[in-house]
Amino acid sequence: MKVSLFLTCIGEVFYPNVGKDVVKVLERLGCEVDFPEGQTCCGQPAYNSGYRKDAIKGAKQMINAFAGAAYVVAPSGSCVAMVHEYPALLQDDAYWLDKARELSNKTYEFTQFLVDVLQVTDVGAVYPAKATYHSSCHMNRLLGVKEAPKQLLQHVEGLELEPLSNGYDCCGFGGTFAVKMSAISEQMVDEKVRHIEETNADTLIGADCSCLMNIKGRLERLDKPIEVKHIAEVLNHHK
Amino acid sequence: MSIKIDDKNFYDHVDQELKDTFMRNAISNAQDNLRGKKIAATTEDEPFGNWEEWRNAGEEIRRHTLENLDYYLQQLSENIAERGGHVFFAATAEEANQYIKEVVEQKNARNVVKTKSMVTEEISLNEMLEDMGCDILETDLGEYILQIDDDRPSHFVAPSLHKNKEQIRDTYREKIAYDGTEKPEELTVYTRKVLREKFLQADVGITGCNFAVADSGTVTLVTNEGNANMVTTLPDTQISVMGMERVVPSWEDLDVLVSLLCRSAVGQHLSTYVTAVSPDVESDTVDAPSDFHLVILDGGRSRALGTEFQEALHCIRCAACVNVCPVYRHIGGHAYGSIYQGPIGAVLSPILAGYEEYQELPFASSLCGACTEACPVKIPLHELLIRHRERIVAGEGKTKASEKLMMKGFGNMTSSASVFQTAVKAAPTLTRPFAKDGSISKGPGPLKAWTNKRDFPAPSKDNFRQWFADHKRGGDINE
């Protein structure tokens, strides 16, 4: 099966290792992975801040970049949810609307692709740790991917998964929200950190680099010795 | 007269409220509690059936009603008039108050009793009646506490959620010569005694309206204390005030919406009372008011009709969105500076009172979507917040020129793979002076607000595209 990786801008700039892990997991599962060079960013920062026209520029670039792809897979529920927003974003333009729908229909979040398309829940990973999982809001609510990451983690050998209290609450990232409403965001991430600590986990796992960037940034500032891992890093860990 | 609760700006409110540890604990406990009760009421009641199907039905009823609002408002007003009631359509808060003032003057009324009502908060009715020299009494326990403490509601359903029993005892001692303890039972018995005397003296009763049933000409009130029944039965004159969107076509529709409202608000299958009041002037019934007035307020609502914000008018004021909002959880209701709080407040307040007053509210959300998920009539709240942001940056509010420039630059970067790649490659070099051990703890420019609270990762020196090209040329997949 041919799969095109959409690494996301945050992935490219900050977390190339997550991209590598995604590639390796997909290849181990028999996929042929390519990386369309024209890809940039899904445009969500502009869209969510109210800059619709600027978001449309990025959307068109992405539609063209992935025009030849069979499946598009990204290690971020939030960016995939944004791609799924393209048909609404381009609804007034019949030419782009069709292309937007096509891209939207073939774009999957990484764990969603593994479980729903490849029908795999055990990737043969081994990761000895006591961990807790943070479910990102956009992945969970906008994209509706709730169970896939948990199903995959349940099959990881050596991984002990603790439930996270108030896991439904946002970590306070929200893109520009974390900067524009910094004081509120700080309280939100602090509450998230308290709940993570209550689990006594040594590792926090998530499926969205941006939320993890926020939580990890706060954990580091507070000197909390908790490892933060993207789920692709855990799933690519094997004997 | 407006929905504004005071003159402070949003950021000052937030600073103040974040320091109020008591309020924040009270709200987070209440949220956790209400969320649990709601989930139980919507998933564990088997005869009720599928919650999502009820939500779909609720959404459909609200959409149909708002798309045919003129028809149902006319039907409602004709049915009320036919039964001897009076209907007044008020375009503004001032017009609504003027009409109510005339009714009260005609009756030479001094003593007015009221039920809890958001729309009368919205038009600042109490202030107007006080200015007329009336003795106006809030009869909902939470509202009564706020009234004697000269405070404003912080939650749609539990207006004095931000106060604890000790604070209430102190207020009672200071303001109404109470000498009892902070025991809720004792405070309630005392309040009941005060209220009962006032009910018997009242000349006019004023209520809000949860829903008005168009095909029968009936105002309905959903309450738990029963005081609304005193307000609607004891005084001969009754005035009900409703926002123009609070109409439902029929009793069957009311059944759906009340079922959604009670479960979403407090996790009840049904509230203690659902009071239905129709004027019945001629048949001389014992408990119907002999003089009935319904004031239907536009108050800026029509500005949303036919726009992308029309769905905001589907709101049934259950506060489900407030009860799950992580922003409300930390800043409380007063921080919104509006009588409408939480996500729906952030959507409604700019519609009703303009961006000049409320342009920060649409940005006071991480767009986590918890509100949209919770809404029993499926209002896409987080999307409506984005629509507000679009209008604000398009010029209906004030946006910093630097931000506009930055977003334009962002748009240009995302629409060109080469510009994007240049930026990705330049990022580690540009941020090198600020980075230490792979992270940035004191960032420049826009990074500053982030790094005030959290570390920021240093951009990786590793280029993924380069790695991928090497990998494809024969790198071991297990490298």
Side-chain angles (χ1 to χ4, degrees), chain A residues 32-84:
Chain A
E32 187 188 324
V33 183
D34 74 347
F35 186 86
E37 286 288 326
Q39 65 180 280
T40 56
C41 160
C42 66
Q44 187 177 185
Y47 178 70
N48 280 358
S49 303
Y51 293 83
R52 194 183 183 91
K53 282 184 193 158
D54 296 308
I56 286 175
K57 290 185 199 170
K60 290 180 176 173
Q61 173 72 21
M62 291 290 285
I63 288 169
N64 282 336
F66 289 99
Y71 290 100
V72 179
V73 172
S76 160
S78 186
C79 306
V80 171
M82 182 63 216
V83 172
H84 283 213

Coordinates of all heavy atoms in Angstrom, one line a residue, chain A residues 32-84:
Chain A
E32 N 4.5 1.4 1.4 CA 5.5 2.1 0.7 C 5.3 3.6 0.9 O 4.2 4.1 0.6 CB 5.4 1.7 -0.8 CG 6.6 2.3 -1.6 CD 6.3 2.1 -3.1 OE1 5.7 1.1 -3.5 OE2 6.7 3.0 -3.9
V33 N 6.2 4.2 1.6 CA 6.0 5.6 2.0 C 6.7 6.6 1.1 O 7.9 6.4 0.8 CB 6.5 5.8 3.5 CG1 6.2 7.2 4.0 CG2 5.9 4.8 4.4
D34 N 6.0 7.6 0.7 CA 6.7 8.7 0.1 C 6.4 10.0 0.8 O 5.6 10.1 1.7 CB 6.3 8.8 -1.4 CG 4.9 9.4 -1.6 OD1 4.2 9.5 -0.6 OD2 4.6 9.7 -2.8
F35 N 7.2 11.0 0.4 CA 7.1 12.3 1.1 C 7.0 13.4 0.1 O 8.0 13.9 -0.5 CB 8.4 12.5 2.0 CG 8.3 13.8 2.9 CD1 7.7 13.7 4.1 CD2 8.8 15.0 2.4 CE1 7.5 14.9 4.9 CE2 8.6 16.1 3.2 CZ 8.0 16.1 4.4
P36 N 5.8 13.8 -0.3 CA 5.6 14.8 -1.3 C 6.3 16.2 -0.9 O 6.0 16.7 0.2 CB 4.1 15.0 -1.4 CG 3.6 13.7 -0.9 CD 4.5 13.3 0.2
E37 N 7.2 16.6 -1.8 CA 8.1 17.7 -1.4 C 7.3 19.1 -1.3 O 7.8 20.0 -0.7 CB 9.2 17.9 -2.5 CG 10.3 16.8 -2.4 CD 11.2 17.0 -1.1 OE1 11.4 18.2 -0.8 OE2 11.6 16.0 -0.6
G38 N 6.2 19.2 -2.0 CA 5.5 20.4 -2.0 C 4.7 20.8 -0.7 O 4.2 21.8 -0.5
Q39 N 4.7 19.8 0.2 CA 3.9 20.0 1.5 C 4.5 21.1 2.4 O 5.7 21.3 2.5 CB 3.8 18.7 2.3 CG 5.1 18.2 2.8 CD 4.8 16.9 3.6 OE1 4.4 16.9 4.7 NE2 5.0 15.8 2.9
T40 N 3.6 21.9 3.0 CA 4.1 22.9 3.9 C 3.4 22.8 5.3 O 3.7 21.9 6.1 CB 3.8 24.3 3.3 OG1 2.4 24.4 3.0 CG2 4.6 24.5 2.0
C41 N 2.3 23.6 5.5 CA 1.6 23.5 6.7 C 0.1 23.5 6.4 O -0.3 24.0 5.4 CB 1.9 24.8 7.6 SG 0.7 25.2 8.8
C42 N -0.7 22.9 7.2 CA -2.2 22.8 6.9 C -2.9 24.1 7.0 O -4.0 24.2 6.5 CB -2.8 21.8 8.0 SG -2.8 22.5 9.6
G43 N -2.3 25.1 7.6 CA -2.9 26.4 7.6 C -3.7 26.7 8.8 O -4.4 27.8 9.0
Q44 N -3.7 25.8 9.8 CA -4.6 25.9 10.9 C -4.3 27.2 11.8 O -5.2 27.8 12.2 CB -4.5 24.7 11.8 CG -5.5 24.8 12.9 CD -5.5 23.5 13.8 OE1 -6.3 23.5 14.7 NE2 -4.7 22.6 13.6
P45 N -3.0 27.6 12.0 CA -2.8 28.8 12.8 C -3.5 30.0 12.2 O -4.1 30.8 13.0 CB -1.3 29.0 12.7 CG -0.7 27.6 12.4 CD -1.8 26.9 11.6
A46 N -3.5 30.1 10.9 CA -4.2 31.3 10.3 C -5.7 31.1 10.4 O -6.5 32.0 10.8 CB -3.8 31.4 8.8
Y47 N -6.2 29.9 10.1 CA -7.6 29.6 10.1 C -8.3 29.9 11.5 O -9.2 30.6 11.6 CB -7.9 28.2 9.6 CG -9.4 27.9 9.7 CD1 -10.3 28.4 8.7 CD2 -9.9 27.0 10.6 CE1 -11.6 28.1 8.8 CE2 -11.3 26.7 10.6 CZ -12.1 27.3 9.7 OH -13.5 27.0 9.7
N48 N -7.6 29.3 12.5 CA -8.2 29.4 13.8 C -8.1 30.9 14.4 O -8.8 31.2 15.3 CB -7.5 28.5 14.8 CG -8.1 27.1 14.6 OD1 -9.0 26.8 13.9 ND2 -7.5 26.1 15.4
S49 N -7.1 31.6 13.8 CA -7.0 33.0 14.3 C -7.9 34.0 13.5 O -7.9 35.2 13.8 CB -5.6 33.5 14.1 OG -4.7 32.6 14.8
G50 N -8.7 33.4 12.6 CA -9.6 34.3 11.8 C -9.1 34.8 10.5 O -9.7 35.6 9.8
Y51 N -7.9 34.3 10.1 CA -7.4 34.7 8.8 C -7.6 33.7 7.7 O -6.8 32.9 7.3 CB -5.8 35.0 9.0 CG -5.5 36.1 9.9 CD1 -5.5 36.0 11.2 CD2 -5.3 37.4 9.3 CE1 -5.2 37.0 12.1 CE2 -5.0 38.5 10.2 CZ -5.0 38.3 11.5 OH -4.7 39.3 12.4
R52 N -8.9 33.7 7.3 CA -9.4 32.7 6.4 C -8.6 32.7 5.1 O -8.2 31.7 4.5 CB -10.9 32.9 6.2 CG -11.6 31.8 5.5 CD -13.1 32.2 5.3 NE -13.8 31.1 4.7 CZ -14.5 30.2 5.5 NH1 -14.5 30.3 6.8 NH2 -15.1 29.3 4.9
K53 N -8.5 33.9 4.5 CA -7.8 34.0 3.2 C -6.4 33.5 3.3 O -5.9 32.8 2.3 CB -7.7 35.5 2.8 CG -9.0 36.0 2.2 CD -8.9 37.4 1.7 CE -10.2 38.1 1.5 NZ -10.2 39.5 1.5
D54 N -5.7 33.8 4.3 CA -4.3 33.3 4.4 C -4.3 31.7 4.6 O -3.4 31.1 4.2 CB -3.6 34.0 5.6 CG -3.5 35.5 5.4 OD1 -3.0 35.8 4.3 OD2 -3.9 36.3 6.2
A55 N -5.3 31.2 5.3 CA -5.4 29.8 5.4 C -5.7 29.1 4.1 O -5.2 28.0 3.8 CB -6.5 29.4 6.4
I56 N -6.5 29.8 3.3 CA -6.8 29.2 1.9 C -5.5 29.0 1.1 O -5.4 28.0 0.4 CB -7.9 30.1 1.2 CG1 -9.2 29.8 1.9 CG2 -8.0 29.8 -0.3 CD1 -10.4 30.7 1.4
K57 N -4.6 30.0 1.2 CA -3.4 29.9 0.4 C -2.6 28.6 0.8 O -2.2 27.8 -0.1 CB -2.4 31.0 0.8 CG -2.9 32.4 0.3 CD -1.8 33.4 0.6 CE -2.3 34.8 0.6 NZ -1.3 35.8 1.1
G58 N -2.5 28.3 2.0 CA -1.9 27.0 2.4 C -2.6 25.8 2.0 O -2.1 24.8 1.6
A59 N -4.0 25.9 2.1 CA -4.8 24.7 1.8 C -4.6 24.3 0.3 O -4.5 23.2 0.0 CB -6.3 25.1 2.0
K60 N -4.6 25.3 -0.6 CA -4.4 25.1 -2.0 C -3.0 24.4 -2.3 O -2.9 23.5 -3.1 CB -4.6 26.3 -2.8 CG -6.0 26.8 -2.9 CD -6.1 28.1 -3.7 CE -7.6 28.5 -3.7 NZ -7.8 29.9 -4.4
Q61 N -2.0 24.9 -1.6 CA -0.7 24.4 -1.7 C -0.7 22.9 -1.3 O -0.1 22.0 -2.0 CB 0.3 25.1 -0.8 CG 1.7 24.6 -0.8 CD 2.5 24.8 -2.0 OE1 2.2 25.6 -2.8 NE2 3.5 23.9 -2.2
M62 N -1.3 22.6 -0.2 CA -1.4 21.2 0.3 C -2.2 20.3 -0.7 O -1.8 19.2 -0.9 CB -2.0 21.2 1.7 CG -1.2 21.8 2.7 SD 0.3 20.8 3.1 CE -0.5 19.5 4.1
I63 N -3.3 20.8 -1.2 CA -4.1 20.0 -2.1 C -3.3 19.6 -3.3 O -3.3 18.5 -3.8 CB -5.4 20.8 -2.5 CG1 -6.3 20.9 -1.4 CG2 -6.0 20.2 -3.8 CD1 -7.5 21.9 -1.6
N64 N -2.5 20.6 -3.8 CA -1.6 20.3 -5.0 C -0.5 19.3 -4.6 O -0.2 18.4 -5.4 CB -1.0 21.6 -5.6 CG -2.0 22.4 -6.4 OD1 -3.0 21.8 -6.9 ND2 -1.8 23.7 -6.5
A65 N 0.1 19.5 -3.4 CA 1.2 18.7 -3.0 C 0.8 17.2 -2.9 O 1.6 16.4 -3.3 CB 1.7 19.2 -1.7
F66 N -0.4 17.0 -2.5 CA -0.8 15.6 -2.3 C -1.8 15.1 -3.4 O -2.5 14.1 -3.2 CB -1.5 15.4 -0.9 CG -0.5 15.5 0.2 CD1 -0.4 16.7 0.9 CD2 0.3 14.5 0.6 CE1 0.5 16.8 2.0 CE2 1.2 14.6 1.6 CZ 1.3 15.7 2.3
A67 N -1.8 15.8 -4.5 CA -2.7 15.4 -5.6 C -2.6 14.0 -6.0 O -3.6 13.3 -6.3 CB -2.6 16.4 -6.7
G68 N -1.3 13.5 -6.0 CA -1.1 12.1 -6.5 C -1.2 11.0 -5.5 O -1.0 9.8 -5.8
A69 N -1.5 11.4 -4.2 CA -1.4 10.4 -3.2 C -2.6 9.5 -3.1 O -3.7 9.9 -3.5 CB -1.3 11.1 -1.8
A70 N -2.4 8.2 -2.7 CA -3.5 7.3 -2.5 C -4.0 7.5 -1.1 O -5.2 7.7 -0.9 CB -3.0 5.9 -2.6
Y71 N -3.1 7.5 -0.1 CA -3.5 7.8 1.3 C -2.5 8.9 1.8 O -1.3 8.9 1.5 CB -3.3 6.6 2.2 CG -4.3 5.5 1.9 CD1 -4.0 4.4 1.2 CD2 -5.6 5.6 2.5 CE1 -5.0 3.4 0.9 CE2 -6.6 4.6 2.3 CZ -6.2 3.5 1.5 OH -7.2 2.6 1.3
V72 N -3.0 9.8 2.6 CA -2.1 10.8 3.3 C -2.2 10.5 4.8 O -3.3 10.4 5.3 CB -2.6 12.2 3.0 CG1 -1.7 13.2 3.7 CG2 -2.6 12.5 1.5
V73 N -1.1 10.4 5.4 CA -1.1 10.1 6.9 C -0.2 11.1 7.6 O 0.9 11.4 7.2 CB -0.5 8.7 7.1 CG1 -0.3 8.4 8.6 CG2 -1.4 7.6 6.5
A74 N -0.8 11.6 8.7 CA 0.0 12.6 9.5 C 0.0 12.3 11.0 O -1.1 11.7 11.5 CB -0.7 14.0 9.3
P75 N 1.0 12.5 11.7 CA 1.1 12.2 13.1 C 0.5 13.3 13.9 O 1.1 13.8 14.9 CB 2.6 12.1 13.4 CG 3.2 13.0 12.4 CD 2.3 13.0 11.2
S76 N -0.7 13.8 13.5 CA -1.3 14.9 14.3 C -2.8 14.9 14.0 O -3.2 15.2 12.8 CB -0.7 16.2 13.9 OG -1.6 17.3 14.2
G77 N -3.6 14.7 15.0 CA -5.1 14.7 14.7 C -5.6 16.1 14.4 O -6.5 16.3 13.6
S78 N -4.9 17.1 15.0 CA -5.3 18.4 14.8 C -5.1 18.9 13.4 O -6.0 19.5 12.8 CB -4.5 19.3 15.8 OG -5.0 20.6 15.7
C79 N -3.9 18.6 12.8 CA -3.7 19.0 11.4 C -4.5 18.2 10.4 O -5.0 18.7 9.4 CB -2.2 18.8 11.1 SG -1.1 19.6 12.3
V80 N -4.8 16.9 10.7 CA -5.7 16.2 9.9 C -7.1 16.7 10.0 O -7.8 16.9 9.0 CB -5.7 14.7 10.3 CG1 -6.8 13.9 9.5 CG2 -4.3 14.1 10.0
A81 N -7.6 17.1 11.2 CA -8.9 17.7 11.3 C -8.9 19.0 10.5 O -10.0 19.3 9.9 CB -9.2 18.0 12.8
M82 N -7.8 19.7 10.4 CA -7.8 21.0 9.6 C -8.0 20.6 8.1 O -8.7 21.3 7.4 CB -6.5 21.7 9.8 CG -6.4 23.0 9.0 SD -7.6 24.2 9.5 CE -8.0 25.0 8.0
V83 N -7.3 19.6 7.7 CA -7.4 19.1 6.3 C -8.9 18.7 6.0 O -9.4 19.0 4.9 CB -6.4 18.0 5.9 CG1 -6.7 17.4 4.5 CG2 -5.0 18.4 6.0
H84 N -9.5 18.1 7.0 CA -10.9 17.8 6.8 C -11.8 19.0 6.8 O -13.0 18.9 6.4 CB -11.3 16.8 8.0 CG -10.9 15.4 7.8 ND1 -11.6 14.3 8.2 CD2 -9.7 15.0 7.2 CE1 -10.9 13.2 7.9 NE2 -9.8 13.6 7.3

